């Protein structure tokens, strides 16, 4: 198990165009899998004055293993 914190640059269409590991789980493989999962998701972009805008967003992801 582990915890990964990512920084995502989400464009106005809700696509993560840049994904960076801000805090590693300690496993490069788990970090890479988390980043790949985050790239495949559509997000709700921030808005200003009723218009969708691109912005950086933080995503905290926790992995756990069942016995």
């Amino acid at each position: 198990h582990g915890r990964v914190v990512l920084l995502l640059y989400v464009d106005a269409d809700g696509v993560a165009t840049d994904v960076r590991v801000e805090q590693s789980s300690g496993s490069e493989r788990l970090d890479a899998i988390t980043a790949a999962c985050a790239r495949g998701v559509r997000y709700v972009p921030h808005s200003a004055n009723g218009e969708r805008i691109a912005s950086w967003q933080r995503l905290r992801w926790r992995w756990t293993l069942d016995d």
Side-chain angles (χ1 to χ4, degrees):
H1 66 274
R3 185 180 134 189
V4 182
V5 179
L6 300 176
L7 285 177
L8 312 173
Y9 190 76
V10 177
D11 69 14
D13 293 321
V15 176
T17 59
D18 192 357
V19 178
R20 301 177 185 184
V21 176
E22 182 179 51
Q23 181 179 345
S24 173
S25 66
S27 165
E28 286 184 30
R29 186 171 176 206
L30 192 57
D31 295 347
I33 291 168
T34 306
C37 289
R39 283 186 192 94
V41 175
R42 182 65 62 118
Y43 299 90
V44 176
H46 286 145
S47 62
N49 299 321
E51 291 192 36
R52 297 180 297 176
I53 59 169
S55 65
W56 285 98
Q57 299 184 28
R58 183 170 282 113
L59 176 65
R60 292 171 176 84
W61 198 303
R62 179 178 215 118
W63 292 96
T64 58
L65 300 174
D66 293 330
D67 292 335

